[in-house]
Amino acid sequence: MQWRALVLGLVLLRLGLHGVLWLVFGLGPSMGFYQRFPLSFGFQRLRAPDGPESPALGPAGRPGPPGGPSGPSWLQPPVPGAAAGRRRGPRRPRPGVCGPAHWGYVLGGWGRGPDEYEKRYSSAFPPHLRAQMRDLARGMFVFGYDNYMAHAFPQDELNPIHCRGRGPDRGDPSNLNINDVLGNYSLTLVDALDTLAIMGNSSEFQKAVKLVINTVSFDKDSTVQVFEATIRVLGSLLSAHRIITDSKQPFGDMTIKDYDNELLHMAHDLAVRLLPAFENTKTGIPYPRVNLKTGVPPDSNNETCTAGAGSLLVEFGILSRLLGDSTFEWVARRAVKALWNLRSNDTGLLGNVVNIQTGHWVGKQSGLGAGLDSFYEYLLKSYILFGEKEDLEMFNAAYRSIQNYLRRGREACNEGEGDPPLYVNVNMLSGQLMNTWIDSLQAFFPGLQVLIGDVEDAICLHAFYYAIWKRYGALPERYNWQLQAPDVLFYPLRPELVESTYLLYQLFDEENPVHKSGTKYMFTTEGHIVSVDKHLRESPWKEFFSQEGGQDQEGKSVHRPKSPELKVINSSSNCNRVPDERRYSLPLKSIYMRQIDQMVGLI
């Protein structure tokens, strides 16, 4: 009974992932890292090294209930004027509290020096166990991939219950959960290409690439979401192309005999079919969906989410710079700027749903989750890849607003009065709390904080999501932190917590070329791997990316195309990630840009 085997496999997959997270963070039955969240998991109260345990504090500094909130501080607005007193850069550890010895203690050591953590870590998670977990993860991927190829290819994905493939729901065009993603282009095979390479399976990678080249076409009567097609398909094609053409071949011999840039040509073909989404929009913000044959549907929705419209720059920018054609980067960058210019003058925040014709905010909720998450992510990652300073300037300004209006709770993660920090959903215009839930997509944010060096906050926020995972064995799609219960009771295998975990702890395969080859890598929002090199920071069209009538870096006047001038000839609701329904200053400094440049090895 093949379907029973598949169901059993999915169960084992979940249990395996749970065990992996338990091993990585638990290091035994408890992390030894207590966060005073409103979740009673038996975490120990964190003590300063060689210091007594501090009681949980309630209102006015009096002891509060163990494991419970000291008061509804997350419900309260940020304290006026507090921003000026908050940190103005990555927090410097106080001697004896937040230095290496301290974090060694937090993660299981005894606070006697950096070697203590390594000793504890090595004994609790020795090389043979890491290798075992690595092989388990590899086996889970192989199980899913092999069964897709056996029972579903060339359709988009495997239906595990019926053990057969499925593609777009032709009978119900309104089924956006399926139709936004599945475009009748062997999605799972395309999406898995770079994973095969990272795992070192050169024979299967080469076979899969040839299958994609010979069998996949985008000349299909499929209406897909621009965002999903970009991050899943376009991103994977570009990643695989760069792996094939990498002269260093760090993952083994992934070259393809007689390869003639076919994957790059396919990426170009797909991107051209997505370009009509950027036509006939008064703001430059793209329509959410296009038909790959006919362009924007006549009944297309004029509303889109900020993340869906503003998270195209990484893939479109890579394509433009590989082709030497500015069109794709220009339309994606124009959309980002259009959204950025619609932010609140008072708070600097953006909403989550906008009308692409009027520029009016339909959804005024501002948060870190659905509808906004990858917009912030791609501001920073675009700078890391392309080196355009305006991307970092926008990110730093957005990060300041996030800290000023979304971050609630005490300043420090593990000391001081009140509840530990939490990022809430607020009204973009006023900064006032809109609801008391968070969603699973917000779990990406600790990983983003790692990239900018805000590691202490990243560890703290990550521990909060892990505490929820530990209670339920998964992250509920939405969790109400006031009621201490899930609001939306399903878990669609989202990778955000795993991604943040990887960026914080690097996981199991220490010898993988991703870590050892000397090449710097970055992951897209869909987890496709991209090498970071100076060639992607070279573009002959930089002057066209500034505003109309401006000057280039040498002060020369330049002509820039106006938004309505964009005309593209077609070659042949909103983001489905949007669920139903402190302040401190981080001024921009050139040293931050230099630090990131050094991080990616470009200076």
Side-chain angles (χ1 to χ4, degrees):
M1 303 291 286
Q2 292 176 329
W3 69 270
R4 292 183 179 175
L6 288 173
V7 172
L8 178 60
L10 290 174
V11 172
L12 292 174
L13 174 63
R14 173 176 168 175
L15 292 175
L17 181 57
H18 191 193
V20 165
L21 286 171
W22 182 83
L23 285 166
V24 172
F25 309 126
L27 300 180
S30 174
M31 291 170 52
F33 181 65
Y34 173 79
Q35 300 290 344
R36 192 158 51 87
F37 303 122
L39 302 168
S40 300
F41 295 138
F43 282 22
Q44 301 173 7
R45 174 70 176 168
L46 176 64
R47 297 170 296 195
D50 303 318
E53 180 173 339
S54 301
L57 295 178
R62 290 186 291 273
S70 61
S73 66
W74 292 336
L75 295 169
Q76 304 303 318
V79 179
R86 300 293 185 186
R87 68 180 186 271
R88 299 185 179 276
R91 184 181 286 117
R92 291 187 177 183
R94 292 196 292 111
V97 176
C98 293
H102 171 78
W103 289 117
Y105 173 82
V106 168
L107 296 173
W110 291 100
R112 307 299 183 188
D115 291 338
E116 291 296 327
Y117 167 68
E118 178 60 28
K119 183 186 299 183
R120 171 63 183 256
Y121 175 82
S122 297
S123 61
F125 204 43
H128 76 273
L129 184 56
R130 285 198 291 270
Q132 182 180 343
M133 294 296 100
R134 178 199 63 201
D135 293 341
L136 176 63
R138 184 190 302 272
M140 289 189 287
F141 169 79
V142 171
F143 176 83
Y145 177 82
D146 286 351
N147 278 285
Y148 164 76
M149 294 303 297
H151 304 292
F153 176 80
Q155 297 195 61
D156 286 309
E157 67 180 13
L158 173 66
N159 183 326
I161 303 300
H162 301 290
C163 198
R164 61 172 180 260
R166 66 182 173 195
D169 187 350
R170 304 294 190 189
D172 183 9
S174 66
N175 185 1
L176 299 182
N177 284 331
I178 292 294
N179 294 329
D180 273 356
V181 179
L182 308 186
N184 195 20
Y185 36 42
S186 302
L187 175 63
T188 298
L189 177 63
V190 176
D191 215 0
L193 291 178
D194 54 341
T195 304
L196 289 167
I198 291 173
M199 289 189 171
N201 193 340
S202 58
S203 61
E204 192 61 35
F205 173 79
Q206 293 162 347
K207 176 183 175 182
V209 168
K210 292 176 182 177
L211 268 177
V212 169
I213 293 172
N214 293 329
T215 66
V216 174
S217 169
F218 301 120
D219 189 23
K220 300 291 178 65
D221 184 19
S222 298
T223 298
V224 297
Q225 192 185 89
V226 175
F227 172 69
E228 295 288 355
T230 297
I231 66 171
R232 294 173 186 262
V233 184
L234 184 62
S236 185
L237 292 172
L238 293 171
S239 177
H241 167 74
R242 287 176 64 79
I243 289 171
I244 294 169
T245 57
D246 187 346
S247 60
K248 298 178 181 178
Q249 288 296 299
F251 303 110
D253 184 8
M254 301 294 163
T255 58
I256 305 294
K257 184 179 180 181
D258 300 324
Y259 179 71
D260 192 23
N261 299 321
E262 287 92 346
L263 296 185
L264 180 61
H265 297 319
M266 293 179 68
H268 182 216
D269 176 46
L270 174 61
V272 169
R273 295 173 186 273
L274 299 177
L275 282 180
F278 298 86
E279 295 182 41
N280 302 316
T281 161
K282 296 178 181 178
T283 62
I285 302 171
Y287 286 92
R289 299 174 182 87
V290 294
N291 183 285
L292 296 178
K293 266 186 177 290
T294 62
V296 177
D299 59 347
S300 184
N301 195 341
N302 283 330
E303 298 174 1
T304 191
C305 69
T306 305
S311 305
L312 309 172
L313 184 52
V314 165
E315 290 83 3
F316 275 48
I318 293 173
L319 180 63
S320 274
R321 295 180 186 227
L322 291 179
L323 293 174
D325 180 351
S326 65
T327 302
F328 307 100
E329 182 173 348
W330 185 73
V331 295
R333 192 171 290 279
R334 182 183 66 166
V336 171
K337 290 182 179 179
L339 289 164
W340 183 248
N341 290 334
L342 295 175
R343 70 193 187 280
S344 168
N345 291 328
D346 296 322
T347 66
L349 297 173
L350 294 85
N352 59 347
V353 181
V354 68
N355 186 297
I356 66 172
Q357 302 297 351
T358 65
H360 292 157
W361 289 105
V362 179
K364 295 182 176 62
Q365 175 175 302
S366 190
L368 297 180
L372 276 160
D373 51 349
S374 54
F375 177 81
Y376 300 125
E377 177 188 0
Y378 268 25
L379 289 179
L380 180 61
K381 289 185 175 179
S382 294
Y383 173 72
I384 292 173
L385 276 180
F386 307 131
E388 302 289 347
K389 293 183 179 180
E390 65 177 352
D391 295 335
L392 185 60
E393 291 169 355
M394 287 188 287
F395 173 79
N396 279 335
Y399 198 74
R400 281 196 298 269
S401 295
I402 289 169
Q403 302 301 328
N404 287 341
Y405 293 98
L406 272 60
R407 192 180 195 269
R408 303 290 171 88
R410 59 180 179 247
E411 177 183 358
C413 179
N414 290 290
E415 55 186 328
E417 298 184 12
D419 296 302
L422 178 74
Y423 293 85
V424 299
N425 299 317
V426 303
N427 184 292
M428 63 167 290
L429 302 176
S430 65
Q432 296 299 309
L433 187 71
M434 287 192 71
N435 50 58
T436 59
W437 52 258
I438 57 172
D439 64 59
S440 61
L441 292 168
Q442 294 180 4
F444 90 97
F445 199 66
L448 194 65
Q449 291 182 305
V450 171
L451 294 183
I452 62 169
D454 205 350
V455 179
E456 183 180 343
D457 263 18
I459 293 172
C460 187
L461 186 60
H462 180 273
F464 174 76
Y465 292 111
Y466 174 62
I468 300 174
W469 174 285
K470 194 171 183 180
R471 169 179 282 185
Y472 299 106
L475 273 188
E477 184 69 351
R478 219 163 64 183
Y479 181 83
N480 191 306
W481 46 262
Q482 184 181 37
L483 300 177
Q484 302 182 35
D487 271 356
V488 179
L489 306 177
F490 65 86
Y491 168 58
L493 300 176
R494 294 201 186 276
E496 283 75 13
L497 179 61
V498 175
E499 178 186 9
S500 289
T501 302
Y502 169 78
L503 290 171
L504 272 168
Y505 298 98
Q506 297 287 297
L507 295 175
F508 310 115
D509 194 357
E510 294 181 331
E511 300 303 316
N512 193 284
V514 171
H515 305 140
K516 293 291 189 179
S517 68
T519 301
K520 303 297 183 182
Y521 292 102
M522 189 190 79
F523 291 93
T524 70
T525 193
E526 184 63 13
H528 294 300
I529 195 167
V530 179
S531 59
V532 181
D533 59 63
K534 62 182 180 181
H535 301 296
L536 289 179
R537 290 196 164 198
E538 299 170 355
S539 68
W541 55 77
K542 283 189 177 183
E543 65 270 17
F544 292 104
F545 292 155
S546 299
Q547 293 183 358
E548 176 71 19
Q551 295 179 330
D552 62 15
Q553 293 181 350
E554 298 179 355
K556 300 177 182 178
S557 298
V558 293
H559 170 72
R560 299 176 179 91
K562 299 179 181 179
S563 297
E565 293 179 1
L566 176 68
K567 297 294 181 183
V568 180
I569 300 176
N570 188 15
S571 65
S572 14
S573 164
N574 308 322
C575 273
N576 65 343
R577 297 193 176 202
V578 181
D580 302 329
E581 303 257 348
R582 172 193 82 176
R583 296 185 175 270
Y584 65 77
S585 176
L586 183 65
L588 172 66
K589 294 181 180 179
S590 60
I591 189 172
Y592 293 161
M593 294 183 279
R594 183 173 181 83
Q595 287 173 342
I596 292 178
D597 288 339
Q598 291 173 332
M599 177 184 73
V600 298
L602 297 177
I603 61 174

